[in-house]
Each structure stands twice: as C-alpha cells, then as structure tokens.
Amino acid sequence: MTTAQTAPPPPMRLRELVFGAACAAALRAAARLGVADALGDSPMAVEDLAAAVKTEPRPLRRLLRALTCYGVFAEHKDGTFAHTDMSLLLREDDPHSLRYIALWCTEPWTWDAWPLLDEAVRTGSNVVEGLYGKEFFTYLNEDAPESAEVFNRAMTTSSRQSAQDVAALLDLSGSTSVADIGGGQGHVVASLLEKYPAMRGTLLDLPRVVENADPRLREGGSLADRVRIVPGDCREEIPVQADVYIIKNILEWDDDSTARALRNVKAAGGPGARVVVIENLVDDTPSMRFSTAMDLLLLLNVGGAKHTTDSMVGRLTEAGLTIEDIRPVNPYLHAFDCRVPE
C-alpha cells in the first residue's frame, strides 16, 4: 500500500524537489481527467476507474501511485483506490474545491515560464512579454482564451471561499456604501450587502470580468437593486464614490501599477474614506510554501510580487493612507484597515 511518506534524508529530499514538476503534472492530469469526480465514496478498482475516465488502467495506476505519495488519493492493500481529504479538493462539486486553482497553477504558459526564473531573478522583470510578445493578460485573452477561462474560474473559486470570512470580519455598521475594487465577480460585495441590508454597493473590474458577475448582482438578482456594476481598470481610474473601499488580492502587480491603483482609490474616496486592503502575505502565515511559490510566479508573469507585512505597510504609507489596524481574516489572509487622512 502506498502512502504519503515521512521526510526522507536530505539527498533524497533534494532529488524529490527537483522532480517537483512531476507532482504538479500529476495533479494537473488527475484534474483534467476528472479522476476525483469519477471516484465515488467507496474504494474503486483501477480498471473501473479507468473505464469511467476513459484511460488505460496501467498508466492510470502509475499516476495514482505517484499522487498517493503526497497524500492525494490512497491505495488500499487490495489494490483499490479511495479518496483522502486532499483528493476530495480536486472534485468540482466539493464546496472547498481547488480544482481550478490546480489547473491555473499548471497552465501551459507556466511550463514555458518556469525555466526562465533565473532570468527573471537577474533582471527583476517578467519573462512572459519576451516569450509571447505581449503583456500577460493581453496574451491570455487574445491567444489563450481557455487559460483565461481557467484563470477566471480559479479566481471565482478563491473569492467565493473567502468572501464570507471577509464579511464576518468587517464591521461596516457606520457606513452606507461599499465599493469592491478589482472585485472579480463580486462575491465579497455580495456577501457584505447580504450582511447589511440597508447598504448600497459597487463592483468595479475589467469589462470581461464583470460581465460574468455573481447572479445576485445582475439584473433580476436578489441584490441587483442595491448594486452598481462598473467596468473599468482601477490602475487607470476609479469613478466610484463610497464610504468604504475593499481591495482584495489585486495589489500584486509591478510597483508602479500598485501605486497608481492606491492613488486612484485615495482620490476617489477623498478625505475620511475607509480603505481595506486584503492580501495573502509571504511572512507569518501557515501557507508559506504556497505563497512564496505564487510570489515567484507573479515575478514571471507580470513582474509583480506577494507582499510581506512590512512591504504592504510601505506601499500603503507611500500612497498617503493611514493604517489603523492589521488583523487576520483567516489563516491565509490579512486585512490592512486604512483611512484617507482628513
């Protein structure tokens, strides 16, 4: 029976690390094949599982055996395979599904970009423009629409799962309006409007994003009469007035783009406006391996970075915001509660 292993000695651990791409590729393959969705609540023989996902049994067993070493699926003594807590997260119908996150982090462009990490470290610049001749998100939407769709689904999953935590944390009882800047499909603003029935909200993001806004916010939705959907780029302009501005997981661009976004929200809100910035940090968090890996991926694709507490404080202070509080939203997110000075 194959199971997740305890830490091996350093020479073998290093050998395992340099084969890290094999683990990522195996997770991607399992997600694309729909193995987790096909595997039910009871253990299945690999032959039956192979028939369900239309693969050959022998290579499927090899794929599953590799994943069980990391605790993704479990192999029983009789040769059948069963779910683990991690493999369940690859199911599309799991309420905490990470299927699209797994796909996004292993999209085809990532395999082109990772080998050039040394170049990105030398120059401090992204490598995607050199690879494809255009800015990253332009490349996605013009040349890789399937990857753009995976990105949108991954961001939707992440936002939906954290929106309730954000709404639970924030006390907006003294405010009448809230704006979700770069808010994707609007899960955060929707959760806040549900918490505060008298509040009005605004969602601002790129046109291609907000056209697929949460159904609660669109015409006929339960919150539609209390929300305004504004297509736009917060790095260019924020034509939105509100008591509170939420900026969640978007200040990961290059320094200039981050500075412009913060400058724009400060100008839009004016003196006294509350600005809540919510980010994953690469320090003081149980998700260090994930967040530092994402930090490197941001360097590769947009020349951006994940923040430390100090770097986030520095960006906010440089933008002229006054930080009133820093606190965790959940084990993986921190909120920086700020004000535009009077």
Side-chain angles (χ1 to χ4, degrees):
M1 181 173 70
T2 307
T3 59
Q5 303 295 312
T6 56
M12 183 53 66
R13 180 59 181 149
L14 186 58
R15 286 182 171 91
E16 291 176 357
L17 288 173
V18 297
F19 269 113
C23 180
L27 284 165
R28 179 175 179 80
R32 283 171 59 85
L33 290 168
V35 176
D37 295 292
L39 181 57
D41 295 332
S42 300
M44 289 180 66
V46 72
E47 292 78 12
D48 296 332
L49 195 52
V53 298
K54 298 180 173 57
T55 67
E56 291 296 320
R58 292 179 66 183
L60 179 60
R61 182 184 295 278
R62 293 164 66 182
L63 176 70
L64 291 169
R65 182 181 295 122
L67 287 171
T68 61
C69 294
Y70 298 92
V72 183
F73 302 107
E75 183 180 6
H76 291 173
K77 290 182 178 180
D78 62 1
T80 60
F81 287 89
H83 272 300
T84 63
D85 289 344
M86 277 201 289
S87 65
L88 286 170
L89 297 174
L90 291 176
R91 291 184 64 109
E92 191 155 1
D93 62 358
D94 189 273
H96 304 291
S97 176
L98 294 177
R99 180 176 186 269
Y100 285 101
I101 297 293
L103 290 172
W104 168 241
C105 293
T106 56
E107 280 295 280
W109 65 267
T110 67
W111 304 93
D112 293 337
W114 279 120
L116 302 177
L117 182 58
D118 58 328
E119 178 184 330
V121 171
R122 275 197 297 268
T123 65
S125 301
N126 78 76
V127 302
V128 163
E129 289 186 41
L131 281 170
Y132 305 120
K134 55 187 70 175
E135 185 266 342
F136 177 63
F137 285 105
T138 302
Y139 160 73
L140 279 189
N141 288 284
E142 292 182 355
D143 301 338
E146 290 184 4
S147 191
E149 175 63 17
V150 169
F151 171 76
N152 289 335
R153 285 177 174 259
M155 296 305 101
T156 296
T157 296
S158 179
S159 179
R160 183 185 294 118
Q161 291 171 355
S162 61
Q164 292 298 327
D165 290 339
V166 172
L169 173 79
L170 296 182
D171 180 0
L172 305 187
S173 53
S175 304
T176 61
S177 57
V178 60
D180 194 358
I181 304 302
Q185 295 177 333
H187 300 293
V188 169
V189 72
S191 295
L192 288 168
L193 292 179
E194 288 181 336
K195 181 179 179 181
Y196 296 101
M199 182 172 285
R200 301 191 65 83
T202 303
L203 169 65
L204 182 145
D205 211 319
L206 298 173
R208 65 178 181 273
V209 177
V210 297
E211 68 184 12
N212 294 310
D214 188 306
R216 291 172 291 177
L217 305 178
R218 298 201 299 263
E219 185 175 356
S222 59
L223 303 172
D225 62 339
R226 293 195 286 129
V227 73
R228 186 165 67 105
I229 296 177
V230 178
D233 185 340
C234 64
R235 294 170 296 180
E236 302 300 326
E237 182 186 13
I238 299 178
V240 176
Q241 288 189 323
D243 297 334
V244 183
Y245 294 82
I246 310 295
I247 306 176
K248 179 176 173 292
N249 285 132
I250 64 169
L251 298 182
E252 300 169 344
W253 305 296
D254 59 275
D255 289 348
D256 179 63
S257 294
T258 296
R260 282 189 283 126
L262 289 173
R263 190 163 57 242
N264 289 341
V265 78
K266 180 184 174 186
R274 184 179 176 187
V275 180
V276 182
V277 174
I278 299 170
E279 290 286 342
N280 300 100
L281 301 174
V282 293
D283 59 346
D284 191 28
T285 167
S287 61
M288 281 284 287
R289 289 185 182 179
F290 173 76
S291 57
T292 54
M294 281 300 301
D295 179 54
L296 295 178
L297 194 61
L298 286 164
L299 172 61
L300 289 171
N301 64 2
V302 295
K306 287 285 187 184
H307 289 282
T308 63
T309 302
D310 286 345
S311 70
M312 191 74 258
V313 167
R315 298 296 187 281
L316 297 172
T317 302
E318 288 166 11
L321 296 172
T322 300
I323 301 171
E324 297 184 340
D325 191 22
I326 303 172
R327 50 193 162 142
V329 177
N330 58 33
Y332 312 105
L333 288 172
H334 285 72
F336 296 75
D337 213 332
C338 309
R339 290 277 179 186
V340 178
E342 298 281 359

